[in-house]
Amino acid sequence: MKPQSSNPFFKKYHSPAKFLFASMTALFLFSCGKEKEATQAAPDAPVYSLIFLDKTQSVHVDKNYVNEKYRQALTDIIEKNMKNKGDKLEVYFIHENTSKARALSLTVRSERDDMSAANATDREGIETAFQLSLQKEKGIYLRQLLAKLNQQNTGSSNQSTDIWASLPVIAKAGESGSDVKVYYFSDMVESVKGADRRDFHVKPPKDDSEAESDAKTDSKKLEQYAIGSPQVTIVSPFEPTASTKENNPHVTHYWQTLFQELGGVSIEEL
């Protein structure tokens, strides 16, 4: 008879099946540990909210319906997107000089204390303190945001609506590695003079086919802006009873097609 190995591990698992089971169990536990470490080391990316407020003649935030709808949407954005330290929100005004019209920049400063060595009671206290600090911040930010919503633009820049100029702003935000969410508070009626520009006040797309053709043509001019795949939402100023002449569905289709061409981005309209 051949002598058995003096290795105690071999003695305990001299059966090949038991040895294989033990090895697989050890590998599984090791993998789980590594996966947990990776999860802890890679928290969710911060949220980067870009809000474009239309400050041209065609959008009237002084109307009750528009103001209430916009106030609620801005409140929801603050509540949903500003949750952790580093979450950021920037406001740009849409008019003749959109890309240079940053009106507000906010970043969450509140931070949870380290809870790694805390017991259940201490954890609850830390979380409560963090939420109180965060809610205070959100209240301040919302007041600043609503002030920008109601700010009037009586200058000559309200004659043009340059929505194309929002694209380099989105592209730059994407470079941050954050989760970018874009909100247009606008009728989305692009209106810029020039041979290679669109003026939907003068010549809106007459049907979806023309809207698609225009958008695909324009995407070639704008593809230099690597916008990535942000979440895009249009918060329109139109009431549910608005006519197609006022709320042109082909204009919406133009933007849906343009963003699809630029980055496979789908648009939600509120």
Side-chain angles (χ1 to χ4, degrees):
M1 181 184 293
K2 293 181 179 179
Q4 290 185 346
S5 169
S6 59
N7 187 321
F9 185 82
F10 182 85
K11 285 182 178 180
K12 186 176 181 181
Y13 296 105
H14 60 275
S15 163
K18 288 183 178 180
F19 180 80
L20 179 61
F21 176 76
S23 300
M24 290 177 67
T25 301
L27 180 62
F28 174 76
L29 292 173
F30 177 78
S31 300
C32 287
K34 286 294 182 183
E35 184 178 343
K36 185 176 180 181
E37 286 178 16
T39 302
Q40 291 174 341
D44 291 338
V47 176
Y48 195 148
S49 304
L50 283 174
I51 295 175
F52 294 96
L53 295 177
D54 199 323
K55 294 295 180 179
T56 60
Q57 288 185 325
S58 61
V59 176
H60 304 282
V61 296
D62 53 334
K63 289 185 176 180
N64 287 339
Y65 173 81
V66 180
N67 199 270
E68 288 177 14
K69 180 178 181 178
Y70 279 10
R71 284 173 64 93
Q72 186 58 56
L74 292 171
T75 301
D76 290 344
I77 291 168
I78 287 281
E79 191 60 35
K80 293 176 182 177
N81 295 0
M82 305 291 273
K83 290 183 174 180
N84 297 293
K85 184 180 180 182
D87 287 344
K88 188 172 185 177
L89 183 150
E90 288 185 340
V91 175
Y92 283 78
F93 289 160
I94 293 175
H95 50 50
E96 182 185 41
N97 193 21
T98 302
S99 63
K100 300 295 184 181
R102 191 174 76 175
L104 192 62
S105 182
L106 307 169
T107 304
V108 173
R109 305 294 182 191
S110 298
E111 184 177 15
R112 288 180 182 85
D113 290 339
D114 182 18
M115 296 195 290
S116 59
N119 58 35
T121 302
D122 290 342
R123 283 172 177 269
E124 186 176 344
I126 290 170
E127 183 63 26
T128 299
F130 167 71
Q131 290 299 334
L132 286 172
S133 175
L134 180 62
Q135 289 304 318
K136 184 177 180 181
E137 266 193 290
K138 285 182 178 181
I140 295 169
Y141 293 165
L142 182 58
R143 285 195 293 275
Q144 292 177 293
L145 198 50
L146 294 178
K148 295 302 178 184
L149 170 66
N150 293 314
Q151 185 175 326
Q152 297 296 313
N153 178 18
T154 56
S156 61
S157 64
N158 69 11
Q159 302 293 314
S160 298
T161 308
D162 191 356
I163 301 172
W164 281 11
S166 66
L167 297 175
V169 177
I170 297 171
K172 186 175 181 180
E175 294 172 1
S176 68
S178 300
D179 180 11
V180 180
K181 299 179 187 294
V182 181
Y183 302 87
Y184 290 100
F185 286 71
S186 172
D187 58 9
M188 301 304 286
V189 178
E190 178 85 358
S191 179
V192 179
K193 309 300 181 187
D196 61 341
R197 296 302 303 261
R198 300 288 172 193
D199 190 341
F200 290 152
H201 281 304
V202 176
K203 188 180 182 297
K206 63 180 183 293
D207 53 35
D208 279 356
S209 178
E210 185 175 292
E212 284 188 27
S213 177
D214 288 349
K216 288 179 180 178
T217 298
D218 295 343
S219 69
K220 300 294 188 294
K221 307 171 191 173
L222 300 167
E223 62 186 359
Q224 59 180 302
Y225 305 118
I227 65 170
S229 299
Q231 175 185 308
V232 178
T233 303
I234 296 173
V235 189
S236 77
F238 305 113
E239 297 192 42
T241 54
S243 66
T244 55
K245 183 178 180 180
E246 184 182 6
N247 183 12
N248 188 336
H250 310 309
V251 169
T252 302
H253 192 68
Y254 166 87
W255 291 108
Q256 289 172 334
T257 305
L258 182 68
F259 274 100
Q260 189 67 34
E261 291 292 313
L262 290 176
V265 181
S266 60
I267 293 177
E268 179 185 7
E269 187 174 12
L270 300 179

